Amino acid sequence: MFQIVKSEKLADKIYLMDVKAPRVAHSCQPGEFVIVKMDEKGERIPLTICDYDREAGTVTIVIQTVGASTEKMVRLKAGDFFEDVVGPLGNPSDFVREDVEELKKKKYLFVAGGVGTAPVYPQVKWFHEHGLDADVIVGAKTKDLVILEKEMEAVAGNLYVTTDDGSYGRKGMVTEVIKDLVENQGKHYDVCVAIGPMIMMKFVCLLTKELNIPTIVSMNPIMVDGTGMCGACRLTVGGKVKFACVDGPEFDGHEVNFDEAMKRQQMYKTEEGRAMLKLMEGDTHHGGCGNCGGDE
Ligand code: NAD
Ligand code: FES
């Protein structure tokens, strides 16, 4: 059992929890995720790690309520327990394995959209802890939906907050800020990391392709069981079939077929859609194990 030591509402439908999970906290890296199970019969919910405290043995997760399971999850309070917290899963962000001296020669731009701010935070914090300055754009629909601003401010080189309605910070979507920084303010970026809703990542990638900035995206949103078994997170990257939970979750955004991934995500939600996908994808329909039966 894994005890919740802190539970806090960050914004409408967005909650933060610190969970005692010493083994995960000891070894997790930016980019990885955990699977949380509320009780024995509970759904497996993959969630990106927002922060970790190796000494306290806690990991921080941010939950956006999207259905019955997440609604039930956020009703838990400090002192309550999760049945299971499995992880760390997935692959760490590429920069974790890079030589820090080489990284110092590159300028990174992190683009966080809405709840995607949570997985961006540990990456920017990692940069800060390694003496690297990164620029960060945080976008949200309105002022009330901007999360982790103070935390991000403490670790970012420059932080640009933008809201779609202009109720806080700049006005406009994250893509408008990228354009402004590069085209009007003379900024140069070697790598962009964009994490947020699929539609945001798609449009950031279209823009950064034009601007010639290599871009990494996180395909967490299409994951369901997070173990390579269900096949939900199948996507095409550079013409090859990949599974976000085992091959990712981070990929070269300029190689990701977003339209296919978004269409597939919608189809996967219905029984009829899954039957159609199975027909279309044959033996490769399911994930890593290839013989689990998945949705049969
Ligand atoms: P949102 O819809 O409020 O969008 C956040 C920001 O993204 C906007 O303020 C805007 O700046 C930008 N954006 C949105 N559409 C855009 C477009 N067409 N062009 C350019 N920029 C655009 O975000 P939300 O409701 O907080 O996001 C929820 C989604 O984020 C969920 O679907 C969830 O799955 C996803 N998410 C993704 C990750 C990940 O790892 N990629 C992590 C957590 C959450
Ligand atoms: Fe099920 Fe990846 S989330 S195979």
Side-chain angles (χ1 to χ4, degrees), residues 111-144:
V111 181
V115 191
T117 308
V120 168
Y121 174 67
Q123 305 205 10
V124 182
K125 187 178 167 190
W126 187 96
F127 266 62
H128 182 68
E129 285 170 350
H130 288 79
L132 303 158
D133 259 353
D135 282 359
V136 182
I137 300 171
V138 168
K141 284 194 192 85
T142 68
K143 181 178 190 231
D144 297 343

Side-chain angles (χ1 to χ4, degrees), residues 17-270:
M17 286 183 184
D18 285 349
V19 184
K20 194 100 183 156
R23 276 194 294 176
V24 181
H26 179 71
S27 56
C28 65
Q29 305 262 33
E32 294 175 329
F33 66 94
V34 288
I35 289 176
V36 179
K37 246 179 94 174
M38 245 173 313
D39 48 52
E40 220 171 294
K41 290 186 190 141
E43 201 183 317
R44 302 161 61 89
I45 304 176
L47 293 165
T48 31
I49 296 167
C50 168
D51 201 2
Y52 45 87
D53 183 330
R54 302 211 200 279
E55 269 182 35
T58 56
V59 290
T60 304
I61 50 176
V62 169
I63 305 144
Q64 183 178 37
T65 55
V66 287
S69 294
T70 44
E71 280 289 352
K72 209 170 143 195
M73 189 180 239
V74 300
R75 280 191 217 135
L76 297 175
K77 300 272 168 282
D80 291 340
F81 291 85
F82 286 127
E83 168 81 19
D84 228 342
V85 176
V86 180
L89 298 166
N91 299 294
S93 306
D94 279 351
F95 60 74
V96 168
R97 296 194 201 96
E98 265 192 68
D99 182 73
V100 175
E101 291 310 311
E102 286 303 312
L103 273 179
K104 277 185 184 159
K105 297 176 195 159
K106 296 182 191 170
K107 187 72 186 172
Y108 267 67
L109 172 67
F110 287 91
V111 181
V115 191
T117 308
V120 168
Y121 174 67
Q123 305 205 10
V124 182
K125 187 178 167 190
W126 187 96
F127 266 62
H128 182 68
E129 285 170 350
H130 288 79
L132 303 158
D133 259 353
D135 282 359
V136 182
I137 300 171
V138 168
K141 284 194 192 85
T142 68
K143 181 178 190 231
D144 297 343
L145 293 173
V146 176
I147 59 166
L148 303 168
E149 186 189 3
K150 274 203 189 84
E151 290 82 351
M152 199 66 100
E153 207 163 39
V155 292
N158 294 296
L159 175 64
Y160 307 92
V161 179
T162 186
T163 49
D164 299 3
D165 64 357
S167 53
Y168 189 62
R170 295 167 172 235
K171 183 178 190 309
M173 294 195 177
V174 291
T175 37
E176 291 168 55
V177 185
I178 302 173
K179 232 172 156 24
D180 180 47
L181 292 176
V182 174
E183 290 181 349
N184 304 326
Q185 300 195 34
K187 293 267 192 176
H188 169 84
Y189 297 108
D190 299 292
V191 183
C192 170
V193 177
I195 306 183
M198 296 275 277
I199 192 75
M200 178 205 95
M201 296 191 289
K202 174 187 163 173
F203 281 98
V204 168
C205 286
L206 286 174
L207 174 63
T208 54
K209 215 169 187 172
E210 243 175 66
L211 298 172
N212 217 4
I213 310 172
T215 300
I216 307 291
V217 296
S218 171
M219 298 303 282
N220 260 294
I222 58 173
M223 292 187 334
V224 171
D225 78 340
T227 58
M229 306 278 262
C230 72
C233 67
R234 177 187 157 123
L235 75 159
T236 308
V237 185
K240 293 200 176 99
V241 172
K242 300 278 177 191
F243 291 88
C245 64
V246 287
D247 300 314
E250 295 184 358
F251 295 99
D252 177 345
H254 293 170
E255 296 287 334
V256 169
N257 186 334
F258 284 103
D259 292 336
E260 181 198 67
M262 286 189 281
K263 194 171 155 210
R264 204 178 178 284
Q265 194 182 18
Q266 284 312 312
M267 283 177 82
Y268 203 85
K269 284 181 185 157
T270 66

